[in-house]
Amino acid sequence: MRVMITGGAGFIGSAVSRAFIHSSDDHILVLDKLTYAGNLASLKPVAEDPRFSFLQADICDRAAVGRAYSEFQPDVVMHLAAESHVDRSIDGPAAFIETNLVGTFVMLEAALEYWRALPADRARNFRFQHISTDEVFGSLGADGLFREDTPYAPTSPYSASKAGSDHLVRAWRHTYGLPTIVTNCSNNYGPYHFPEKLIPLMIINAIEGKPLPVYGRGENVRDWLYVEDHAAALMLVAREGVVGDSYNVGGRNEWRNIDVVHAICDLMNEFRPRAGGYRDLITFVNDRPGHDLRYAIDSSKIERDLGWKPAERFETGLRKTVQWYLDNQEWWQAIRSGKYRGERLGVL
Ligand code: NAD
């Protein structure tokens, strides 16, 4: 296959790109604007492969996107490019509307033009795969799980923009017949995660002996998915997913934030013992405005229909992740010394 991956220099997109090159014969084109969150260093392990190519472009740029389709001739488009951080969406929602909504619209318009001109056999096999989030479903109470048919109820500027992009993708399927598939996944974690997100921020602050800021009382629950398990799910959906369907992808790993931070502290103490341990560094800070209480995914459909199962339990994935940040300090130090220094974002 020829696979175009938007946002392939980001956290999940780079994991998908590495997985394609390392475990398939497919050719990939990463199309990425290289915003603050895009990082070519995350693609270094595959950059020299002849089946890998990279194009710096903005998904809102209709002409550039159209050229990418016609020159690369994809069989599958995996659309991951997005503004992805809830706290940043509180500070500056405009970029989220632009990239997540307008950018997805541009990607769909270009896909439609390209798909309509394909010969029948290639048009039949073409897929536009949109990567979305469980946050579109809103917040759960203590019980229940998000299923594919759970009604949308987004609450943050980020999740509202992603919900809007999901609706656009479904509308292009319903109205124009474009072969689309949507996946909604839970919180990813793992190597190459930008240090503004909870898990890498806690690990890096712990390495540097800095305070570990936990929002509210750390009671919020997330369902953690190891990024390489997610990449495997996305590759499977690209090959075997049913057009028009959506698939929820989750790790069956529900953890309260405070328990995640405790687990990181304990792993850090095992790898790099500190007098008094690391839990002393935890400081509770004002909660995120509108912070959703709990997300949890029912991923039984992708497990049943496509045979996908996460390989990592949270304990094993987190151990690998802490180890990776200890072993790859040059990757995150380049970020921490420049575009993001660990400051608090998303405070009203
Ligand atoms: P990320 O922020 O790490 O990466 C986003 C990438 O998109 C970056 O490389 C950035 O340069 C690129 N990008 C941003 N705007 C662009 C534009 N206008 N044109 C071209 N490229 C642009 O994000 P991520 O965590 O890897 O998330 C990838 C996708 O998965 C997003 O669509 C996100 O909504 C979704 N998602 C993420 C999670 C998670 O836990 N990280 C969970 C559910 C869904």
Side-chain angles (χ1 to χ4, degrees):
M1 292 194 307
R2 300 181 64 76
V3 185
M4 180 156 102
I5 302 169
T6 73
F11 168 47
I12 301 172
S14 69
V16 173
S17 303
R18 294 189 302 271
F20 265 111
I21 295 300
H22 288 148
S23 66
S24 81
D25 297 326
D26 300 326
H27 290 248
I28 65 168
L29 168 69
V30 167
L31 185 156
D32 199 295
K33 182 179 175 182
L34 297 180
T35 66
Y36 81 93
N39 191 346
L40 288 178
S42 308
L43 291 165
K44 220 165 149 201
V46 295
E48 299 303 320
D49 194 287
R51 290 180 290 114
F52 172 86
S53 48
F54 177 79
L55 173 69
Q56 184 169 8
D58 186 337
I59 57 164
C60 299
D61 180 343
R62 178 67 177 83
V65 169
R67 271 198 307 280
Y69 276 94
S70 60
E71 285 170 17
F72 182 68
Q73 292 283 312
D75 304 299
V76 173
V77 175
M78 287 192 172
H79 178 38
L80 295 104
E83 288 292 335
S84 71
H85 189 36
V86 175
D87 286 344
R88 285 184 194 262
S89 83
I90 295 167
D91 290 340
F96 288 72
I97 304 304
E98 192 60 25
T99 288
N100 300 358
L101 279 170
V102 178
T104 300
F105 161 70
V106 169
M107 287 299 300
L108 287 166
E109 281 289 88
L112 187 60
E113 184 181 273
Y114 168 77
W115 173 68
R116 281 177 167 163
L118 284 174
D121 57 328
R122 290 198 55 210
R124 220 176 7 261
N125 292 323
F126 179 77
R127 300 279 181 277
F128 183 98
Q129 190 173 334
H130 179 58
I131 286 68
S132 189
T133 167
D134 59 356
E135 301 192 28
V136 298
F137 299 120
S139 183
L140 289 165
D143 307 314
L145 298 171
F146 297 132
R147 294 160 38 101
E148 283 79 3
D149 57 4
T150 300
Y152 275 33
T155 57
S156 72
Y158 164 67
S159 55
S161 70
K162 289 297 287 186
S165 66
D166 292 9
H167 290 319
L168 290 175
V169 171
R170 291 201 176 90
W172 260 244
R173 163 85 191 133
H174 190 76
T175 308
Y176 306 108
L178 186 71
T180 64
I181 301 180
V182 177
T183 56
N184 298 86
C185 67
S186 58
N187 275 42
N188 284 224
Y189 71 101
Y192 301 97
H193 204 181
F194 194 83
E196 65 191 351
K197 305 278 169 67
L198 176 73
I199 289 180
L201 181 68
M202 295 300 142
I203 298 171
I204 292 170
N205 278 14
I207 293 172
E208 294 183 335
K210 292 186 175 154
L212 307 178
V214 173
Y215 292 174
R217 301 301 301 166
E219 302 285 340
N220 304 66
V221 174
R222 299 294 180 261
D223 173 359
W224 293 97
L225 172 63
Y226 193 62
V227 70
E228 290 173 14
D229 282 330
H230 185 207
L234 295 180
M235 289 173 74
L236 193 60
V237 170
R239 291 185 207 289
E240 297 178 25
V242 174
V243 166
D245 267 16
S246 70
Y247 296 90
N248 281 359
V249 190
R252 293 183 186 269
N253 281 309
E254 279 187 58
W255 283 62
R256 291 186 314 159
N257 286 349
I258 187 64
D259 297 328
V260 172
V261 178
H262 283 157
I264 291 170
C265 290
D266 296 348
L267 282 165
M268 278 295 299
N269 217 34
E270 189 186 319
F271 292 137
R272 189 180 280 190
R274 175 181 189 267
Y278 288 86
R279 291 189 184 205
D280 282 0
L281 295 172
I282 294 173
T283 43
F284 293 99
V285 298
N286 283 344
D287 207 353
R288 167 190 283 166
H291 202 173
D292 287 342
L293 177 66
R294 175 172 167 262
Y295 306 138
I297 283 249
D298 177 352
S299 48
S300 52
K301 178 177 170 182
I302 189 171
E303 293 175 4
R304 188 185 58 240
D305 292 3
L306 304 186
W308 173 83
K309 253 215 316 253
E312 298 293 342
R313 288 179 302 111
F314 191 57
E315 291 84 346
T316 57
L318 194 63
R319 174 174 287 275
K320 286 185 183 177
T321 305
V322 172
Q323 187 71 65
W324 188 88
Y325 280 88
L326 283 166
D327 293 345
N328 290 276
Q329 304 208 10
E330 74 291 350
W331 182 87
W332 54 263
Q333 271 163 356
I335 297 169
R336 283 278 272 222
S337 60
K339 48 192 171 183
Y340 177 66
R341 295 166 190 269
E343 63 274 18
R344 173 84 195 262
L345 302 166
V347 184
L348 286 181

